[in-house]
Amino acid sequence: MKKTLGALFLALCLFLFVNANLTVPVLMYHHVGAVSDRSSTNVSVETFERQMEYLKVHRMRVMSLEDFLGHIRLGQGLSWNTVVITFDDGNLDNLTNALPILKRMGFPATIFMITGNIGKDGWLSAEDLRVLDASGIAIGSHTANHVFLPKLKKAEAVLELRQSRNVLEKILGHPVFLFSYPAGGVTEALEALVAREGYHGAVTTNYGCSRNDLYALRRLKITERDGNLFSFFAKVSGLYSLGRRTVDIA
Ligand SMILES: [Zn+2]
């Protein structure tokens, strides 16, 4: 009897621990295309497709970042199988390689554009951004010049936040509410600044998942190494982040 009670107590503790620590994974991609270096931030088209199929087959609930932020703001719980997809920088292959797969799966995603690169060789153009926007892909700001914000003076940081947003809003013809800190460069003062500038939320490149911090949401970097579906499963299931509290700036 004592043993059974002990085992039940242990099981309850384990359940409570896992339940308290399983949070919604926000996936961070960069390039979807040729992979020259396995440690780089690229994933091949084949790997990306396999990962998206994994989400589809396992009935993961792929939610837009804006909806996810809305749930956090309202304090609403989310099902364990929720996942959010994001891309940083605004590489052209996000349109040519990732969009057709996302469309086929019916998955929303967010692309954070470095606005100073719009229209340059290998980067998304203004027209590309409009096409993505019309296809259900949200466009957010990743600053104008991909600068490490904590190194800037406040006025310079404000300029990066405003200019990039103004450029995107002019191109898209509607407000832009999402922001991504280049190289995960975030401080409490910057979080407050991003909020004051009218953004609804912001993501970092710090590893892990976070429930509440609207202006410093952690993400999980997905690379070609996650072509191994077990590694991908560990990340999208939230298991990978269990007990991880360290900050790891990519
Ligand atoms: Zn970046």
Side-chain angles (χ1 to χ4, degrees):
M1 181 66 180
K2 249 187 178 175
K3 264 188 181 167
T4 316
L5 278 177
L8 274 176
F9 179 70
L10 266 180
L12 180 68
C13 286
L14 188 67
F15 170 78
L16 289 175
F17 172 77
V18 170
N19 201 37
N21 287 278
L22 271 184
T23 46
V24 171
V26 180
L27 308 183
M28 171 178 61
Y29 287 96
H30 288 80
H31 274 287
V32 177
V35 178
S36 51
D37 168 10
R38 278 179 71 81
S39 68
S40 78
T41 51
N42 298 15
V43 295
S44 66
V45 180
E46 296 72 30
T47 295
F48 183 72
E49 187 163 29
R50 226 169 44 241
Q51 291 172 342
M52 295 303 108
E53 273 166 3
Y54 177 94
L55 299 180
K56 193 82 181 170
V57 168
H58 291 87
R59 297 173 184 272
M60 300 295 286
R61 184 180 177 202
V62 181
M63 179 176 275
S64 72
L65 182 60
E66 188 74 76
D67 283 353
F68 177 49
L69 291 167
H71 275 79
I72 298 177
R73 210 170 281 116
L74 296 172
Q76 291 171 334
L78 283 163
S79 58
W80 65 271
N81 60 344
T82 307
V83 57
V84 177
I85 300 171
T86 69
F87 298 81
D88 270 9
D89 299 348
N91 296 295
L92 180 58
D93 56 39
N94 293 177
L95 174 86
T96 52
N97 295 338
L99 180 66
I101 297 169
L102 289 168
K103 258 183 152 175
R104 202 165 67 240
M105 303 291 170
F107 291 164
T110 300
I111 295 175
F112 292 102
M113 184 75 211
I114 305 165
T115 57
N117 288 348
I118 293 173
K120 288 187 183 166
D121 199 25
W123 300 90
L124 295 166
S125 68
E127 183 51 30
D128 295 337
L129 291 169
R130 279 191 286 270
V131 168
L132 286 156
D133 186 54
S135 308
I137 306 296
I139 308 297
S141 161
H142 197 35
T143 71
N145 301 299
H146 207 256
V147 279
F148 192 67
L149 293 175
K151 285 204 166 157
L152 297 187
K153 293 194 181 96
K154 189 179 164 190
E156 293 168 333
V158 167
L159 215 60
E160 284 287 337
L161 294 171
R162 271 188 205 165
Q163 270 184 352
S164 56
R165 189 175 169 187
N166 288 343
V167 166
L168 291 175
E169 290 184 344
K170 212 167 169 194
I171 289 171
L172 302 174
H174 63 70
V176 166
F177 293 117
L178 303 170
F179 183 75
S180 168
Y181 302 94
V186 59
T187 60
E188 270 183 32
L190 279 168
E191 281 188 50
L193 205 60
V194 171
R196 207 158 49 236
E197 286 300 311
Y199 288 97
H200 286 176
V203 293
T204 71
T205 59
N206 294 345
Y207 256 39
C209 304
S210 38
R211 269 173 205 247
N212 303 321
D213 204 347
L214 284 171
Y215 289 96
L217 285 172
R218 294 175 172 211
R219 287 184 295 173
L220 294 168
K221 182 167 72 177
I222 306 295
T223 69
E224 189 60 16
R225 287 167 198 268
D226 303 302
N228 165 353
L229 280 180
F230 180 75
S231 156
F232 188 67
F233 154 77
K235 286 186 178 174
V236 298
S237 66
L239 284 177
Y240 178 83
S241 308
L242 270 183
R244 274 183 177 246
R245 287 282 181 267
T246 51
V247 172
D248 173 9
I249 292 180

